[in-house]
Amino acid sequence: DAKTTQPPSMDCAEGRAANLPCNHSTISGNEYVYWYRQIHSQGPQYIIHGLKNNETNEMASLIITEDRKSSTLILPHATLRDTAVYYCIVNSGNTPLVFGKGTRLSVIA
Amino acid sequence: DGGITQSPKYLFRKEGQNVTLSCEQNLNHDAMYWYRQDPGQGLRLIYYSQIVNDFQKGDIAEGYSVSREKKESFPLTVTSAQKNPTAFYLCASSRTRDKAFFGQGTRLTVV
């Protein structure tokens, strides 16, 4: 599976949009971009995934560049409960997920 | 209530003892996974199983063993051969080519 690069930490003001970037320049054509988050001392939670097109669900939006070499997870109105480590993972669906260190997002009141 | 359940939440083990962590799912998922997480680190894969009675080693399988006798269950045994077993253990399940669901984890401490 392709490797991803994320900033180690980010801050966001409560109520503002949180934009979390991810680089995956070696992504293959059959690989999806997945986002999970992990709140302290809990199991990771699935957020969203996409292949080529932008995706939106009740939790977030995923913007994938046209060349698919990078993506951005958008939390439109961040709350304190969104404070967590966010993992960007590239995976074909046929193999186990490989986790990096993710981005630690701190939402500040 | 559908989901994936890990037990116990906290577990203490004496050095030299084997201990088994439970993972059960009622989501009818074929694939199940065990990960280990150390403080400040991402998850590392220990073992995974894509079908009953079959499993494969992950990146850090030494000192661990698993079984997959039933679709719903994927227990992990931490043996005395695992030199540094204190960690947070996470179990997950998924359908093929679909998102994974994680349990709430078991925190194992060697005393």
Side-chain angles (χ1 to χ4, degrees):
Chain A
D1 292 329
K3 184 176 173 60
T4 62
T5 303
Q6 299 178 253
S9 64
M10 293 182 64
D11 293 336
C12 178
E14 189 178 20
R16 304 296 294 269
N19 297 280
L20 290 87
C22 180
N23 287 324
H24 32 79
S25 58
T26 60
I27 191 170
S28 298
N30 66 337
E31 290 180 317
Y32 291 77
V33 180
Y34 288 83
W35 283 84
Y36 287 79
R37 73 180 183 184
Q38 186 176 26
I39 295 169
H40 184 62
S41 295
Q42 296 184 21
Q45 175 191 24
Y46 166 82
I47 301 173
I48 198 167
H49 75 285
L51 183 64
K52 286 191 281 190
N53 299 322
N54 298 337
E55 302 287 344
T56 294
N57 63 20
E58 64 279 3
M59 288 183 68
S61 294
L62 174 60
I63 308 298
I64 303 174
T65 57
E66 193 170 341
D67 63 8
R68 303 213 316 130
K69 292 185 177 182
S70 65
S71 60
T72 301
L73 178 75
I74 302 172
L75 307 178
H77 305 286
T79 72
L80 298 178
R81 287 176 293 182
D82 292 320
T83 292
V85 178
Y86 288 76
Y87 296 100
C88 169
I89 300 168
V90 172
N91 186 269
S92 64
N94 296 322
T95 57
L97 299 173
V98 176
F99 287 79
K101 293 188 177 180
T103 295
R104 183 174 299 276
L105 175 69
S106 297
V107 180
I108 303 165
Chain B
D1 195 25
I4 182 163
T5 302
Q6 290 187 243
S7 62
K9 189 170 182 179
Y10 298 96
L11 188 57
F12 297 89
R13 187 195 96 174
K14 291 184 179 179
E15 283 195 37
Q17 283 183 337
N18 293 355
V19 64
T20 298
L21 283 60
S22 170
C23 179
E24 304 277 333
Q25 54 100 358
N26 61 3
L27 300 168
N28 200 33
H29 287 169
D30 289 315
M32 296 187 73
Y33 314 86
W34 274 105
Y35 291 87
R36 168 183 171 137
Q37 188 173 34
D38 293 288
Q41 304 297 314
L43 283 67
R44 291 185 290 165
L45 183 67
I46 305 172
Y47 268 99
Y48 66 103
S49 167
Q50 294 179 311
I51 196 169
V52 174
N53 292 322
D54 189 39
F55 48 83
Q56 286 77 42
K57 292 182 179 180
D59 300 319
I60 55 165
E62 185 175 351
Y64 300 97
S65 66
V66 294
S67 63
R68 186 86 186 277
E69 298 176 0
K70 298 187 299 182
K71 189 175 188 178
E72 310 80 46
S73 179
F74 192 40
L76 173 75
T77 297
V78 184
T79 75
S80 56
Q82 170 49 239
K83 297 306 177 190
N84 186 21
T86 294
F88 189 43
Y89 291 88
L90 288 154
C91 179
S93 71
S94 71
R95 289 194 184 92
T96 302
R97 299 190 187 87
D98 200 357
K99 58 185 177 283
F101 291 81
F102 284 80
Q104 289 305 298
T106 292
R107 193 167 297 279
L108 173 64
T109 303
V110 173
V111 296

